[in-house]
């Protein structure tokens, strides 16, 4: 939200007060509180009829410093609040030092400095371990303002350095670098082609090696160099604003600290990394149709791991009643058993809305499990489903009731759920636990997804739970996987989707997917084939559409060959990919990584949004043209194409032309890349016939191949000796081979 009219004036009706000088300071061993006047105090009379802003500075975790600014502290606090599982700073980890008019709070490599001198202007400086400035709260950086409608806003500003780039704020499809943008952190079902987002995360990451988390679950308005061009501004309609500055110094370390604070992602099961195929949304289907799809994948020799039933597994007008349509699926248990016998996992579409025609509506209404209006009426509307209401997940009984319904499906043989929606949450309502409706709007998805994920963990066991979730807020990374929502079937939308995924990955989310071929409409075969390569070199891979099927043979025989080739390749890459997944689970560093994460010191990598690193060692540049022209950047070193063995020297930009069965897929210089021998499934025995790929300059590289539970199954170290590389193994006595990248590694392109 913008409050000023240019540099000199305020917008009509806006009145703002800015922290100007410190009038008092109270310090403990590990925190301090400053009381800031909003004008210069020249005499005692200036202390009258004028507010103070209370500024509390503390450390919730090592390397994280929190700032809480408050105008009026008497406002009743109504939840929800972000759960911060990592907010447990060890005694003595944060220390306050006061000396000669300066007060400092240090936590790990991060220091906050406040100058309390008599004539010192108000400022809070954040310094790195070397005492260098990362950012600062400057002249107008701590404030509150009232607007003509009577709303009260707390405002924070942090200075932007010259050449500094800002990223993140959730899965945003607007330009990847957020400088110059106005961003509203407010859940919306807006597709992938607008400024709205399904996954709104009040966390941004800076190219200078720090992050900022605004600890407010409601609407947070950002002006990123867009109101004051040298500032990142964030504001909330409240009497208090709390934000945390998160230290690096590298972007990976920022994400590690942030996800330690807000929650690390669970490790998805290995089978979830295989290819998912769905019924699509509005297409007709029954068991015969489903079987024909599964048979078709087998006949075309495209391994399939998960089959997903979208909305119309239930009866029309009755979403969600969580019951199979008996006319279309007269024997759901038998069908699920038959799919399971073919080695498939089964996913089901659900959402948290209950249509009036559903039998669950009356049942939930009678038990007080639906969100109500202030007058006691159940909140309803006709958008999406006629007369639909919303499950009140703040009610413990409602959560138990909802999971009891899902448990029936699990007992039938369902393995996981696509938790769709969760964004369209009203604010003119009353929640069972008394939550503030404005704060609950964004937070609702967290309750929804955690309820379902925890059920899966309880019923299937830790390590076997996985969602396909569309909406999320801060902390939602704990419940993977998330997908990019409703995109058009076009190359432009494919690029939008990648931007969204890169932004989400810099917001703490480790696993991300998208609808291969696009959701809205039917893609041209050229679009579908280009998207296949991108989709199967993503964390998770799903074929899904709106009004048409996404079976590869619907797009021609070449599409079948492309789908087969990249599915087999992904399976062979699983020893590597699952090792990267374990790293995401343990450190918060995502599987799909913006170039910035791996090459933070390369200025060119700071703005790249059409390529990414898949883990630390594979560079992927999707092709966004039907003709195959692609432009991408290689950082320093000798990069080797995984499929062809061609070696290219970086740094530099490169233009290539690729057929539909190829794309720029380069192995990082010095890598040690594990490949499995089983290309039929994602969850095989990865040490059986393991191949370790080396590059011309591999020396000193170490890679861990996990087992299916994420435990180390073998640790491999490579040392160059003369013209060759010697690889030693720890923890595994099984045979393996060492091979140079690009020598005979092309996967099969034809059926067995």
């Amino acid at each position: 939200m913008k409050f000023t009219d240019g540099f000199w004036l305020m917008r009509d009706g806006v009145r703002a007060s800015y922290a100007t000088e410190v009038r008092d300071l109270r310090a403990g061993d590990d925190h301090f509180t400053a009381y800031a006047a909003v004008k210069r105090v020249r005499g005692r009379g200036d202390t009258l009829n004028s507010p103070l802003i209370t500024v509390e500075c503390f450390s919730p975790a090592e390397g994280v410093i929190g700032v809480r600014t408050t105008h009026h502290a008497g406002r009743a606090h109504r939840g929800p609040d972000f759960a911060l599982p990592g907010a447990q700073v060890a005694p003595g980890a944060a220390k306050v030092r006061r000396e000669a008019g300066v007060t400092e709070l240090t936590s790990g490599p991060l220091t906050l400095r406040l100058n309390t001198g008599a004539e010192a202007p108000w400022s809070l400086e954040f310094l790195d371990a070397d005492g260098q400035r990362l950012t600062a709260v400057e002249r107008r950086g701590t404030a509150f303002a009232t607007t003509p409608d009577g709303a009260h806003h707390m405002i924070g500003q942090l200075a932007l350095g010259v050449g500094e780039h800002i990223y993140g704020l959730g899965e945003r499809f607007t330009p990847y670098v957020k400088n110059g943008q106005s961003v509203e952190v407010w859940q919306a079902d807006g597709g992938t082609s607008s400024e709205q987002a399904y996954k709104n995360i009040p966390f941004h990451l800076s190219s200078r090696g720090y992050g900022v988390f605004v600890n407010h679950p409601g609407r947070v308005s950002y002006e990123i160099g867009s109101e004051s061009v040298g500032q990142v501004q964030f504001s909330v309609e409240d009497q208090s604003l709390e934000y945390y500055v998160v230290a690096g110094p590298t972007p990976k370390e920022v994400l590690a600290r942030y996800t330690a604070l807000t929650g690390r992602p669970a490790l998805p099961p290995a089978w979830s990394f295989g290819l998912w195929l769905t019924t699509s949304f509005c297409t007709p289907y029954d068991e015969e149709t489903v079987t024909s799809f599964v048979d078709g994948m087998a006949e075309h020799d495209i391994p399939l791991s998960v089959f997903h039933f979208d909305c119309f597994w239930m009866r029309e007008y009755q979403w969600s009643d969580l019951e199979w349509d008996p006319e279309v699926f007269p024997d759901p248990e038998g069908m699920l058993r038959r799919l399971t016998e073919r080695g498939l996992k089964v996913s089901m579409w659900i959402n948290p809305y209950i249509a009036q025609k559903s039998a669950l509506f009356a049942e939930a209404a009678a038990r007080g499990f639906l969100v109500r209006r202030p007058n006691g009426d159940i909140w309803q509307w006709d958008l999406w489903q006629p007369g639909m209401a919303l499950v009140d997940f703040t009610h413990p009984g409602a959560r138990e009731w909802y999971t009891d319904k899902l448990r029936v499906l699990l007992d039938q043989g369902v393995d996981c759920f696509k938790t769709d929606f969760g964004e369209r949450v009203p604010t003119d309502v009353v929640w069972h636990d008394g939550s503030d409706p404005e704060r609950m709007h964004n937070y609702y998805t967290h309750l929804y997804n955690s309820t379902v994920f925890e059920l899966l963990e309880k019923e299937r066991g830790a390590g076997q739970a996985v969602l396909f979730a569309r909406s999320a807020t801060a902390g939602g990374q704990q419940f993977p996987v998330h997908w990019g929502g409703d995109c058009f079937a076009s190359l432009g939308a494919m690029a939008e989707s990648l931007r969204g995924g890169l932004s989400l990955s810099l917001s703490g989310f480790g696993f991300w997917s998208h609808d291969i071929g696009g959701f809205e409409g039917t893609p041209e075969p050229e679009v579908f084939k280009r998207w296949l390569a991108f989709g199967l070199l993503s964390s998770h891979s799903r074929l899904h559409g709106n009004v048409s099927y996404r079976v590869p043979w619907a797009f021609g025989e070449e599409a079948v060959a492309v789908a087969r080739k990249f599915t087999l390749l992904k399976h062979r890459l699983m020893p590597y990919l699952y090792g990267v997944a374990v790293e995401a689970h343990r450190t918060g560093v995502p599987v799909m990584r913006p170039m910035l994460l791996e090459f933070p010191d390369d200025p060119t990598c700071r703005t790249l949004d059409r390529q990414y690193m898949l883990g630390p060692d594979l560079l992927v540049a999707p092709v966004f043209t039907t003709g195959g022209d692609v432009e991408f950047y290689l950082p320093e070193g000798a990069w080797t194409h995984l499929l062809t063995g061609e070696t290219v020297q970086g740094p530099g930009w490169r233009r290539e032309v690729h057929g539909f069965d190829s794309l720029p897929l380069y192995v990082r210089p010095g890598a040690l890349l594990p490949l499995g021998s089983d290309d039929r499934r994602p969850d095989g025995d990865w040490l059986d016939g393991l191949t370790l790929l080396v590059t011309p300059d591999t020396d000193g590289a170490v890679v861990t191949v996990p087992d299916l539970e994420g435990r180390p199954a073998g640790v491999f170290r490579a040392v160059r000796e003369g013209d060759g590389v010697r690889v030693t193994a720890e923890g595994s006595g099984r045979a393996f081979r060492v091979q140079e990248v690009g020598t005979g590694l092309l996967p099969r392109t034809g059926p067995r």
Side-chain angles (χ1 to χ4, degrees), residues 3 10-16 145-151:
F3 300 95
M10 302 303 295
R11 296 200 167 195
D12 288 345
V14 174
R15 300 184 64 182
T146 56
T147 49
D149 59 0

Side-chain angles (χ1 to χ4, degrees), residues 478-495:
Q478 297 170 87
F479 318 120
V481 169
H482 294 82
W483 105 96
D486 298 347
C487 51
F488 284 93
S490 69
L491 292 170
M494 179 174 150

Side-chain angles (χ1 to χ4, degrees), residues 361-373:
F361 181 91
E363 182 181 336
R367 300 179 67 178
F369 294 163
L370 301 176
V371 178
R372 294 184 178 272
R373 296 185 184 276

Side-chain angles (χ1 to χ4, degrees), residues 9-74:
L9 305 176
M10 302 303 295
R11 296 200 167 195
D12 288 345
V14 174
R15 300 184 64 182
S17 297
Y18 302 96
T20 302
E21 66 174 27
V22 177
R23 295 301 300 167
D24 190 17
L25 185 118
R26 299 176 183 177
D29 292 337
D30 60 0
H31 66 280
F32 66 81
T33 301
Y35 297 87
V38 298
K39 64 180 181 182
R40 281 288 176 189
V41 178
R42 301 301 182 189
R44 288 185 171 183
D46 292 333
T47 66
L48 304 176
N49 306 311
S50 181
L52 285 177
I53 299 177
T54 303
V55 182
E56 301 168 82
C57 301
F58 55 96
S59 175
E62 187 273 337
V64 181
I65 290 180
V67 177
R68 183 186 304 115
T69 63
T70 304
H71 180 202
H72 289 159

